[in-house]
Amino acid sequence: MIDYAIYFAFACFGAAIMMCLWRIITADGVGTRVLALDTMVINTIALMILYGLDQGTEIFFEAAMIIAMLGFVSTVAYARFMLRGNIIE
């Protein structure tokens, strides 16, 4: 029973990543693309955690934490670049 739930969650998060990718390609503004990219990072983190649950290993949780930190820093850096025009002062 739990296997079907994990496979369904894989399918849902995979579909969400594809929708975000479509939004990145067809978006009008840069802000919408950044938001879709950030959402795609969150969905990728969820997929990594699901894969770790499925395989029964902890290494994917650590990798998900690293990707979460990189996703946060990249979103903040890009938002700062959009507001000020530079990242490092």
Side-chain angles (χ1 to χ4, degrees):
M1 180 68 175
I2 191 78
D3 290 334
Y4 293 118
I6 288 179
Y7 295 145
F8 181 72
F10 273 124
C12 288
F13 282 113
I17 287 176
M18 291 298 142
M19 288 181 211
C20 288
L21 186 62
W22 176 255
R23 190 63 184 163
I24 289 171
I25 293 170
T26 62
D28 293 334
V30 179
T32 307
R33 289 184 179 151
V34 171
L35 184 62
L37 187 64
D38 190 42
T39 306
M40 198 161 77
V41 167
I42 292 169
N43 289 328
T44 304
I45 293 166
L47 277 176
M48 289 186 73
I49 290 176
L50 279 173
Y51 191 69
L53 286 173
D54 189 42
Q55 296 299 314
T57 182
E58 297 176 1
I59 192 73
F60 293 102
F61 299 113
E62 295 171 5
M65 289 297 294
I66 292 171
I67 289 177
M69 288 186 286
L70 288 174
F72 173 73
V73 169
S74 65
T75 302
V76 169
Y78 200 73
R80 188 170 180 173
F81 177 73
M82 286 177 30
L83 289 175
R84 296 183 183 171
N86 63 355
I87 298 171
I88 300 171
E89 294 178 355

